[in-house]
Amino acid sequence: MNKNDAPIENLLSEYETVVAEAGWPESDEFWERLKGKLVTTSDWSHPAAEHLVTLVRNYGSFVLRNAYALALVTDIEDGELGI
């Protein structure tokens, strides 16, 4: 398995803070602020932050949790997009 198979508790804590700072609850303005926060505080590039938010909004935790597990088992760390 790759190095990203560590528990995600630290990421959850980081993103809880980022979401709060972006001004949850959900709105179009929230999602734009969240993308900006991902760039400024979480070291995402603008295109990668856009893609991450799109994935979350389109697929949600059920699909993404399963994608995460499958990526770990198949040892795919960065994927074809190289984000």
Side-chain angles (χ1 to χ4, degrees), residues 19-78:
V19 164
E21 289 175 354
W24 184 259
E26 179 180 13
S27 68
D28 289 338
E29 294 81 17
F30 161 76
W31 292 110
E32 291 305 313
R33 287 190 305 271
L34 179 60
K35 286 183 250 181
K37 288 283 185 186
L38 289 168
V39 171
T40 60
T41 64
S42 298
D43 297 325
W44 287 87
S45 68
H46 288 281
E50 177 74 39
H51 193 70
L52 178 62
V53 167
T54 298
L55 285 171
V56 169
R57 293 184 79 185
N58 286 341
Y59 296 104
S61 62
F62 176 79
V63 168
L64 295 177
R65 180 180 59 229
N66 284 279
Y68 173 62
L70 187 57
L72 291 176
V73 169
T74 57
D75 200 33
I76 297 174
E77 185 174 334
D78 289 330

